[in-house]
Amino acid sequence: MFALSRMSIMQSAKTVAIAMMVICASSLANVQTASANSKYAGIVIDAKTGKTLYNYRGDNIRFPASLTKMMTVYMMFDAMRAGKLKKSDRIRISSHAASMIPSKLGIRAGGSLTAEQAIYALITKSANDVAAAVAEHLGGTESQFGVMMTRKARSLGMSKTVFKNASGLPNSKQVTTARDMAKLGLALQEHFPREFKYFNTREFRFGKARYRNHNRLLGRVRGVDGIKTGYTRASGFNLVSSVNTGGRSIVAVVLGGRTGASRNAQMQKLIAEYLPKASRRGSGGLIAKTQSAPTVIAAMRASDLPIPAEAPVRIGETTAPITAYAAAAPRPKMPVDPIITSSAPQRSGWVIQIASLPSNAEALEYLATAKSKASSVVGSRTPFVEVFEKNGVTYHRARFAGFEGKADARAACQAIKRYNYACLAQQL
């Protein structure tokens, strides 16, 4: 009798131990998957309460790859809401845009597509040529659009994200985190609930071609209604997913997957485990619509402007240019002229403006690049930055002075636009 009782106890203990091992294995599965891949980072956020349900290296710096296009699309939605862009507006493909490496639609330079077609192309095909064209349409140049994207990221609370281009093509300075990408996913849903349906598009037709969405979880995993995939060699396979079902809502991020299939499998694991833990209560509204704080500036001289140089970066088997700073690069001959700040005397006469940027340093960099690229147009002109405020936000106008009159300034504007710069001639 005692032996049977002892055997029963031992079997019960064994059963409990096995059960505990199963529970531990289940709870540690995601961590084991993560630790096996140094690029991996993941996070799951309850979209109704903001609670972090899962976090593995969610605040570590990673490369966004084509998740960048989430912000490009956000900027388009923002411009539409502000009345600066319509779905029917034509977006021209420049030679710069046409030169982008795949994935792309392959529209030739001089061609165009509508803004709505551009949205579909960015979300489904992840078209790099379209991303660059949108950047030029909204920002004048892709580099300026990168500044605009970064500023918007700060206003959304994406404190560790920096954008340098609109596509996500490799740039060592273009970085993000899983948490920041989750915030962007939340912002797209909260700020543009009607437009968010574009991210649920399974297929997009352009001309005779048909493009299937790269996000293979759409239609396969219950509740998944977006958002975006991404991949470069440096980033690994990335995915942001929005899930809304059963009164629960989450945004989940997987960065650095070894393959598309393993990334998708990890995302499915996260959804299955953490969606049931999300709350059915909560009002959302987690991402505020605020402006980033103005940058404090100091007076600088035109001779202090950084000089950009083109350095190659290898993308797979393709070499593409990427902007970098060359410390030993010779500086162009520029007049030693103080940059105008809010405390300096204002100019008079005709000037041209090529950008309005959030900081003095960004405006200076933009002027230097324009001076170098379009030297035949503005090589003899005087660069300066004018500071002004609107609705409590500080802006920095990147301008050139030294024009003989209205006709001279307007002619310069027409000429510099050929270098993909926006331009406005104005009399002070």
Side-chain angles (χ1 to χ4, degrees):
M1 190 74 175
F2 174 79
L4 288 173
S5 180
R6 183 178 179 181
M7 184 178 295
S8 178
I9 292 172
M10 290 177 64
Q11 288 177 340
S12 297
K14 185 177 180 180
T15 301
V16 170
I18 292 173
M20 290 180 67
M21 289 175 63
V22 170
I23 292 171
C24 289
S26 175
S27 63
L28 292 175
N30 293 322
V31 174
Q32 290 172 345
T33 300
S35 61
N37 180 5
S38 61
K39 291 182 181 179
Y40 174 79
I43 199 165
V44 180
I45 303 292
D46 187 326
K48 291 192 173 182
T49 66
K51 181 180 179 180
T52 300
L53 303 176
Y54 166 81
N55 180 15
Y56 186 86
R57 297 176 179 170
D59 296 294
N60 288 19
I61 295 298
R62 295 290 187 268
F63 297 118
S66 283
L67 298 186
T68 297
K69 296 183 179 80
M70 291 166 58
M71 180 59 84
T72 303
V73 173
Y74 185 103
M75 300 293 283
M76 294 184 74
F77 291 164
D78 210 30
M80 288 176 174
R81 179 166 293 178
K84 298 178 181 178
L85 182 69
K86 295 184 295 185
K87 292 180 183 180
S88 59
D89 285 351
R90 304 296 299 187
I91 295 179
R92 180 180 175 275
I93 304 295
S94 68
S95 57
H96 166 70
S99 72
M100 294 295 104
I101 64 171
S103 177
K104 60 195 290 184
L105 285 188
I107 303 173
R108 293 182 179 180
S112 66
L113 74 171
T114 67
E116 185 170 44
Q117 287 173 326
I119 292 170
Y120 282 121
L122 292 172
I123 290 172
T124 59
K125 176 62 174 172
S126 199
N128 296 324
D129 50 355
V130 174
V134 168
E136 292 174 326
H137 188 87
L138 295 179
T141 66
E142 191 166 13
S143 60
Q144 182 181 348
F145 190 67
V147 172
M148 294 164 61
M149 294 167 75
T150 302
R151 185 163 187 254
K152 181 61 68 176
R154 294 293 176 275
S155 75
L156 300 177
M158 299 167 65
S159 61
K160 294 186 177 181
T161 297
V162 175
F163 292 112
K164 293 294 183 178
N165 61 52
S167 63
L169 286 174
N171 185 313
S172 61
K173 295 181 180 180
Q174 181 147 305
V175 295
T176 192
T177 66
R179 188 180 300 278
D180 277 4
M181 284 293 108
K183 289 179 179 179
L184 181 53
L186 289 167
L188 281 161
Q189 293 184 80
E190 293 177 2
H191 299 173
F192 305 104
R194 288 184 299 177
E195 293 85 350
F196 189 76
K197 67 180 184 296
Y198 284 109
F199 285 97
N200 199 23
T201 302
R202 308 273 185 88
E203 187 179 271
F204 162 61
R205 294 189 178 188
F206 186 77
K208 296 181 180 180
R210 179 184 298 179
Y211 302 104
R212 185 183 174 191
N213 197 316
H214 292 173
N215 186 355
R216 300 295 191 250
L217 299 192
L218 288 172
R220 290 178 50 190
V221 178
R222 183 182 177 187
V224 172
D225 53 10
I227 298 177
K228 189 74 183 71
T229 63
Y231 169 76
T232 64
R233 288 185 179 182
S235 72
F237 289 84
N238 299 340
L239 176 61
V240 177
S241 290
S242 165
V243 189
N244 292 275
T245 187
R248 295 183 172 93
S249 179
I250 62 172
V251 170
V253 180
V254 169
L255 304 182
R258 293 188 184 278
T259 66
S262 65
R263 172 203 62 194
N264 292 347
Q266 176 67 2
M267 179 62 76
Q268 288 180 265
K269 286 181 182 179
L270 293 179
I271 293 170
E273 183 169 352
Y274 294 101
L275 180 63
K277 298 178 182 179
S279 176
R280 286 193 173 96
R281 298 181 179 181
S283 58
L286 307 174
I287 309 298
K289 300 178 185 179
T290 58
Q291 294 293 330
S292 54
T295 305
V296 178
I297 64 169
M300 297 181 67
R301 302 180 72 82
S303 57
D304 294 328
L305 296 173
I307 307 303
E310 292 297 318
V313 63
R314 187 159 292 282
I315 306 170
E317 300 303 319
T318 306
T319 299
I322 182 171
T323 300
Y325 290 113
R331 295 184 179 277
K333 295 181 180 179
M334 299 174 69
V336 181
D337 182 53
I339 296 298
I340 297 250
T341 67
S342 56
S343 61
Q346 297 296 303
R347 294 180 179 273
S348 61
W350 280 88
V351 301
I352 66 169
Q353 178 176 315
I354 61 171
S356 180
L357 300 165
S359 76
N360 191 55
E362 291 161 342
L364 290 171
E365 179 182 341
Y366 203 71
L367 286 167
T369 304
K371 191 91 172 178
S372 176
K373 288 177 63 176
S375 58
S376 61
V377 180
V378 293
S380 61
R381 312 301 182 181
T382 305
F384 70 101
V385 176
E386 183 182 69
V387 181
F388 74 107
E389 288 190 10
K390 182 178 180 181
N391 298 327
V393 180
T394 301
Y395 298 89
H396 301 77
R397 291 168 170 161
R399 292 180 161 186
F400 287 97
F403 299 94
E404 297 178 0
K406 179 179 180 180
D408 190 22
R410 286 191 170 180
C413 263
Q414 290 300 315
I416 202 170
K417 284 179 179 179
R418 289 195 284 270
Y419 292 88
N420 294 321
Y421 283 95
C423 188
L424 172 68
Q426 183 180 18
Q427 185 176 25
L428 299 180

